[in-house]
């Protein structure tokens, strides 16, 4: 599923990010911990290349903790600091504050030596839609100043937000890149909720999810849907979707069954899952 679009507000937001980058000390790049690679916007990566930045693996409570640890090590080896966060339940925010100050320690020290006390750090928050950026901002500020929603495209403007910890945050809209060429990346983004439902076919995404679960989370798949090995090995993945449709009592309503599988993945019915595996992703 290769996807192509470029809504006007996304192009405008990309240009604004580029223009305002000189105003900030550091960039907080927020990604979905279930998709640490697929939820990174390569266009934004190019724009922020020369600026200090931290990767925030949000929604860590939804992701496979072992694979999250692998990704943190991977980013560290590439020279970028990362931190896992569960913004919804306010877990891990203190680590981000500490890491920001650690990364900017030299700059803060220079300002203090020049007589500037209590220097306010300016940070830009970027990320694709639906990675939880607004929730993180609200946690930082301590009240609901950014609109949240479990769907892409909620934030439309760029706004400065003040915190009581000496950091000013520049909020930006979620920005996707113009064309997603890799079908697997498109599937993963759709599965996570980063892409609006009208853009993809539910059965395509459900079949991708079932195939991935067969290869990486077989036990969860068997247990959740009360299957046995013969259900998997004697059927193709599309046939498995048809069998599950009947099992759910949906007759031949494959779209309804597909949406249920997608919803089950998002609501942890199959446990904590990560769809980007470091080694495999680079092999692809």
């Amino acid at each position: 599923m290769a996807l192509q679009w470029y809504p006007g507000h996304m192009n405008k937001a990309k240009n604004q990010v580029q223009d305002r980058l000189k105003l900030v000390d550091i960039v907080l790049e927020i990604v979905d911990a279930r998709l640490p690679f697929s939820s990174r916007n390569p266009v934004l990566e190019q724009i922020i290349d020369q600026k200090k930045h931290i990767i925030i693996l949000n929604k860590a409570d939804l992701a496979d903790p072992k694979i999250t640890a692998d990704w943190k090590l991977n980013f560290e080896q590439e020279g970028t600091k990362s931190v896992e966060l569960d913004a919804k339940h306010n877990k891990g925010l203190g680590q981000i504050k500490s890491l920001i100050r650690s990364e900017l320690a030299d700059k803060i020290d220079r300002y203090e030596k020049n007589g500037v006390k209590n220097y306010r750090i300016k940070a830009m928050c970027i990320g694709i839609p639906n990675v939880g950026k607004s929730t993180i901002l609200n946690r930082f500020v301590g009240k609901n100043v950014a609109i949240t929603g479990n769907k892409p495209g909620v934030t439309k403007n760029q706004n400065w937000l003040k915190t009581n910890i000496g950091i000013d945050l520049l909020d930006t809209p979620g920005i996707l890149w113009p064309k997603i060429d890799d079908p697997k990346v498109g599937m993963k983004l759709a599965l996570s909720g980063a892409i609006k439902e009208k853009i993809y076919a539910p059965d395509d995404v459900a079949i991708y999810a079932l195939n991935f679960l067969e290869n990486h989370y077989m036990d969860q798949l068997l247990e959740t849907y009360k299957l046995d090995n013969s259900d998997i090995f004697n059927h193709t993945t599309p046939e498995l979707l048809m069998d599950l449709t009947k099992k759910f009592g949906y007759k031949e309503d494959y779209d309804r069954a597909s949406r249920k599988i997608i919803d089950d993945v998002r609501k942890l019915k199959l446990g904590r899952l990560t769809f980007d595996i470091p080694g495999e992703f680079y092999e692809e």
Side-chain angles (χ1 to χ4, degrees), residues 57-76:
L57 295 150
N58 193 32
K59 303 190 180 184
D61 56 313
L62 307 181
D64 185 326
K66 293 181 180 178
I67 301 179
T68 298
D70 290 341
W71 274 109
K72 288 176 68 178
L73 178 61
N74 181 85
F75 290 134
E76 182 79 27

Side-chain angles (χ1 to χ4, degrees), residues 219-274:
D219 290 345
Q220 286 101 307
L221 177 62
L222 296 176
E223 183 180 346
T224 302
Y225 296 127
K226 309 304 179 198
L227 304 170
D228 57 45
N229 287 328
S230 64
D231 293 315
I232 304 297
F233 297 118
N234 296 335
H235 297 78
T236 64
T237 310
E239 287 172 338
L240 177 58
L241 174 60
M242 289 188 280
D243 288 346
L244 285 172
T245 302
K246 293 175 184 175
K247 195 178 184 74
F248 297 155
Y250 298 163
K251 296 183 180 180
E252 295 184 356
D253 193 343
Y254 305 122
D255 276 356
R256 184 182 176 191
S258 297
R259 285 192 290 270
K260 171 176 168 50
I261 291 166
I262 293 168
D263 200 44
D264 286 348
V265 167
R266 293 176 183 172
K267 292 185 175 179
L268 296 184
K269 295 289 179 64
L270 290 110
R272 295 170 67 176
L273 309 172
T274 297

Side-chain angles (χ1 to χ4, degrees), residues 51-62:
K51 182 69 70 170
K52 275 188 177 292
H53 87 285
I54 295 168
I55 295 173
I56 298 174
L57 295 150
N58 193 32
K59 303 190 180 184
D61 56 313
L62 307 181

Side-chain angles (χ1 to χ4, degrees), residues 33-264:
R34 298 168 296 176
L35 310 172
F37 197 102
S38 298
S39 61
R40 297 187 72 189
N41 184 335
V43 173
L44 292 179
E45 282 186 68
Q46 293 171 7
I47 292 173
I48 66 173
D49 184 48
Q50 300 304 315
K51 182 69 70 170
K52 275 188 177 292
H53 87 285
I54 295 168
I55 295 173
I56 298 174
L57 295 150
N58 193 32
K59 303 190 180 184
D61 56 313
L62 307 181
D64 185 326
K66 293 181 180 178
I67 301 179
T68 298
D70 290 341
W71 274 109
K72 288 176 68 178
L73 178 61
N74 181 85
F75 290 134
E76 182 79 27
Q77 290 171 341
E78 292 179 351
T80 304
K81 294 288 174 59
S82 64
V83 60
E84 57 189 280
L85 174 69
D86 171 8
K88 186 176 180 180
H89 302 103
N90 204 13
K91 295 179 180 178
L93 204 65
Q95 294 179 53
I96 299 173
K97 299 170 187 174
S98 299
L99 193 52
I100 290 172
R101 293 197 171 277
S102 173
E103 288 293 286
L104 295 173
D106 290 344
K107 184 170 189 176
I108 294 170
D109 187 54
R110 285 198 304 271
Y111 272 105
E112 288 182 349
K113 286 180 178 177
N114 289 324
V116 178
K117 300 297 181 183
N118 301 318
Y119 174 71
R120 291 194 68 83
I121 295 168
K122 294 179 175 58
M124 176 186 288
C125 297
I126 64 169
I128 69 169
N130 206 39
V131 291
K133 184 164 51 62
S134 294
T135 301
I136 293 173
L137 292 168
N138 288 337
R139 294 297 189 191
F140 263 113
V141 175
K143 58 184 178 180
N144 294 335
V145 292
I147 301 172
T148 62
N150 190 27
K151 61 180 179 178
V154 173
T155 304
K156 298 295 185 184
N157 302 308
Q158 297 196 9
N159 303 296
W160 282 103
L161 305 172
K162 282 189 174 292
T163 73
N164 60 4
I165 56 169
I167 300 174
D168 294 337
L169 300 166
L170 179 59
D171 187 13
T172 65
I175 308 171
L176 283 166
W177 51 109
K179 183 179 180 182
I180 298 174
D181 292 306
D182 187 338
K184 290 183 180 179
V185 170
M187 293 292 181
K188 292 172 185 179
L189 292 174
L191 190 56
S192 74
I195 295 173
K196 291 181 179 178
E197 291 183 3
K198 63 182 180 182
I199 294 174
Y200 62 84
D203 58 331
D204 285 344
V205 178
I207 288 170
Y208 171 80
L210 290 172
N211 184 258
F212 186 90
L213 290 164
E214 287 173 22
N215 288 302
H216 296 279
Y217 295 99
M218 178 70 86
D219 290 345
Q220 286 101 307
L221 177 62
L222 296 176
E223 183 180 346
T224 302
Y225 296 127
K226 309 304 179 198
L227 304 170
D228 57 45
N229 287 328
S230 64
D231 293 315
I232 304 297
F233 297 118
N234 296 335
H235 297 78
T236 64
T237 310
E239 287 172 338
L240 177 58
L241 174 60
M242 289 188 280
D243 288 346
L244 285 172
T245 302
K246 293 175 184 175
K247 195 178 184 74
F248 297 155
Y250 298 163
K251 296 183 180 180
E252 295 184 356
D253 193 343
Y254 305 122
D255 276 356
R256 184 182 176 191
S258 297
R259 285 192 290 270
K260 171 176 168 50
I261 291 166
I262 293 168
D263 200 44
D264 286 348

